[in-house]
Amino acid sequence: PDSGTVDPQVHLLRKKTEEVARRVAQHHKLPIPWLKFDQEVREMKEKDARKKTATAEELQQLAMKTAGIKSKEEFHVLLKYFSNRAMLLYRPNALKNGAEEVVLDVEWLIQKVEK
């Protein structure tokens, strides 16, 4: 298939993954809208393989749009949840150019630190 076409198997895998994630979320009391946030972050990384970090502000806007996050406190809870599960790395005190940076690709950071 050309680069603009996504294999139907990828769609099927994505659908099955989302189904499993919903069941896990129900078991672990994860708000379902947070899964949409996670999906959007993954898609953001897929669209630009070079995107390894994002500003907290950028992600907060995404969380407000996709996960129903209404306050900075809720947003920090969401980031902490995903960070505790190594889905991203959130260090609120690590500032870069005055903006909180969130690592979207934890494996990339680990490899970078190991070098």
Side-chain angles (χ1 to χ4, degrees):
D2 65 63
S3 61
T5 305
V6 178
D7 187 305
Q9 292 297 316
V10 171
H11 286 294
L12 180 61
L13 178 61
R14 187 173 287 156
K15 183 179 177 184
K16 292 292 183 187
T17 301
E18 289 172 4
E19 289 172 9
V20 170
R22 280 189 177 82
R23 282 185 269 153
V24 169
Q26 290 171 346
H27 180 70
H28 291 285
K29 307 282 191 237
L30 173 67
I32 296 296
W34 288 18
L35 293 174
K36 181 67 174 163
F37 171 81
D38 180 51
Q39 178 182 354
E40 291 289 328
V41 169
R42 289 173 192 269
E43 288 176 8
M44 181 189 316
K45 292 188 312 188
E46 287 175 12
K47 286 179 186 173
D48 183 358
R50 295 170 298 167
K51 187 157 184 77
K52 306 298 184 188
T53 66
T55 66
E57 182 177 330
E58 177 182 7
L59 291 179
Q60 184 172 2
Q61 292 298 316
L62 181 63
M64 291 170 72
K65 183 177 106 182
T66 61
I69 297 298
K70 294 179 180 26
S71 70
K72 193 162 187 112
E73 291 77 22
E74 284 181 303
F75 176 62
H76 285 274
V77 170
L78 176 141
L79 287 182
K80 186 174 179 180
Y81 177 88
F82 284 107
S83 186
N84 286 342
R85 283 149 187 82
M87 297 164 84
L88 53 77
L89 182 61
Y90 167 63
R91 305 289 299 183
N93 297 326
L95 301 179
K96 181 179 181 184
N97 299 328
E100 297 175 359
E101 289 289 310
V102 178
V103 176
L104 303 176
D105 188 341
V106 177
E107 283 296 316
W108 164 80
L109 181 63
I110 291 169
Q111 291 172 0
K112 190 171 177 115
V113 170
E114 287 178 345
K115 290 182 180 182

